[in-house]
Amino acid sequence: MNVDAAVAAVAAIAGLCTGVFAMLAFRWSERDQAKPTRTSLHTDAVLPPGVDTVLSVLRSSAVVLDEADAVVKASSAAYALGLVRGGKLAVEPMMKMARDTRRDGEIRQVELDLPRRGTGRGEALAVSARVAPLGSRLVLLLVEDLTEARRIEAVRRDFVANVSHELKTPVGALSLLSEAVTDASDDPEAVTRFAGRMQIEATRLTNLVQELIDLSRVQNDDPLEDAEPVRVDELVAEAIDRCRQQAGAKQITMAAGGTADLHVWGNRGQLAAALGNLVENAVNYSPARTRVGIAGRRVPTPRGDLIEIAVTDQGIGISEKDRDRVFERFYRVDPARSRATGGTGLGLAIVKHVAASHGGEVTVWSAEGQGSTFTLRLPEAGAVRDRAQPADLAPEALDDEDRPYETFNEPLPAHPAPEVLP
């Protein structure tokens, strides 16, 4: 009997010890799980409540660093800018700012120029970095990309400077000529000569102001609000009439050809101004007794048919280094010649904006001494074409063999038409 009681007591003690050890092991496991590990430091769990949601809606690139300078949270924009690489902040000046802010708790802001990631160009990435403490252990870094804003500001600054210079030239000339007229009041021949010069400068000033107004309008207005089907033949005829006097003075022959009965969809006034600028440039930069051709044709593409309007001249041509810049505002290949012809340097910029706002493009082929071909590509007014075209004549069945430059009485130089982008 005593033996049985002893065995029962030993069993009870053993069960109690087992329960105590199991409870201690469970508590120990919970304590280990509650400890922050190296992995858990890089999860959203260490962020204060609500911070992750706020960071997800910010436009700025956001990076959260812990006390070991490891990245806890980073937005996709931060990776795209190359700020974060391999779980670390890759920009040393920003890292130094974060450490200083963690030490004294002060908010810091600085603008930096960073090299672009993955490009062979020497362009810099302009950013504004702001660092602030986030709780007791974390630091928040917000980065704004200022590259586009700086580019726009530079363009605006250059534009104002160019406008000031261009306006000052004719205004200064008018002032000097008016003084000359006053001094030569007793010389009718001199007065007549100076008055003629004043008319030329006044015309140049008027043209410059008008083109500035036109450029502002095509940049700010939506041409498709007042869009309508526009006949290409009418645009070509209007452009030729606009330049008939200048062409006649230089004995330049103007020829129109290509596919008939083409229509584009857009603002008639803007399209007429764009094509008129191209034809006017061709006449102004062509030698006497040469030819200027304007031709339209339909070009099928996978995204729909395009209408090409090509303006070809036999002028001085454009060098390769100037070819990519001719559509910039106020850019002139030959400034002296541009002033002699009354050019403002805004005509091709207007053409570029009109083409882009109508869903098209303008390209140039040129060679020095051989002339130039400017090609305006615009989407076709499909509804008009469907009504005018027989139902059994599919677009693929159209005969495309009458090339634009083969419809004149005499062949123009064999300028290759730029390939249409798909």
Side-chain angles (χ1 to χ4, degrees), residues 283-330:
V283 172
N284 288 337
Y285 287 91
S286 292
R289 294 178 294 277
T290 55
R291 303 178 71 245
V292 171
I294 309 100
R297 66 174 179 175
R298 180 183 295 113
V299 179
T301 69
R303 294 180 296 177
D305 289 353
L306 294 177
I307 301 301
E308 277 190 359
I309 308 173
V311 179
T312 302
D313 62 60
Q314 297 172 316
I316 60 176
I318 305 171
S319 65
E320 185 176 356
K321 66 181 181 64
D322 294 318
R323 212 169 296 152
D324 294 334
R325 300 192 59 190
V326 293
F327 296 103
E328 296 179 10
R329 303 168 185 169
F330 297 109

Side-chain angles (χ1 to χ4, degrees), residues 404-418:
Y405 314 129
E406 296 174 2
T407 57
F408 308 126
N409 295 329
E410 298 177 12
L412 288 175
H415 294 175

Side-chain angles (χ1 to χ4, degrees), residues 36 39-56 62-67 70-75 132-141:
T39 303
S40 66
L41 286 174
H42 302 278
T43 65
D44 296 341
V46 299
L47 292 176
V51 172
D52 188 25
T53 303
V54 173
L55 295 181
S56 64
V63 181
V64 179
L65 304 175
D66 62 12
E67 66 272 15
V71 176
V72 175
K73 179 76 175 180
S75 64
L134 186 64
S136 59
R137 299 188 299 109
L138 304 180
V139 173
L140 173 63
L141 172 67

Side-chain angles (χ1 to χ4, degrees), residues 213-284:
I213 295 173
D214 292 342
L215 180 61
S216 176
R217 183 179 293 117
V218 300
Q219 286 181 314
N220 297 326
D221 294 348
D222 183 4
L224 300 184
E225 287 184 358
D226 302 321
E228 59 178 334
V230 181
R231 287 177 58 91
V232 173
D233 295 341
E234 295 178 358
L235 294 177
V236 172
E238 187 174 337
I240 291 177
D241 288 340
R242 169 178 168 178
C243 304
R244 193 178 300 277
Q245 183 177 358
Q246 299 98 304
K250 300 173 66 175
Q251 300 179 20
I252 293 177
T253 302
M254 303 183 69
T259 306
D261 199 28
L262 298 176
H263 293 77
V264 293
W265 184 264
N267 184 291
R268 178 185 178 82
Q270 292 190 14
L271 293 173
L275 184 58
N277 286 345
L278 291 179
V279 176
E280 187 175 13
N281 274 3
V283 172
N284 288 337

Side-chain angles (χ1 to χ4, degrees), residues 155-170:
V155 170
R156 183 183 295 112
R157 187 168 54 250
D158 292 343
F159 181 74
V160 172
N162 287 327
V163 169
S164 301
H165 175 74
E166 295 295 334
L167 289 175
K168 184 169 60 177
T169 301

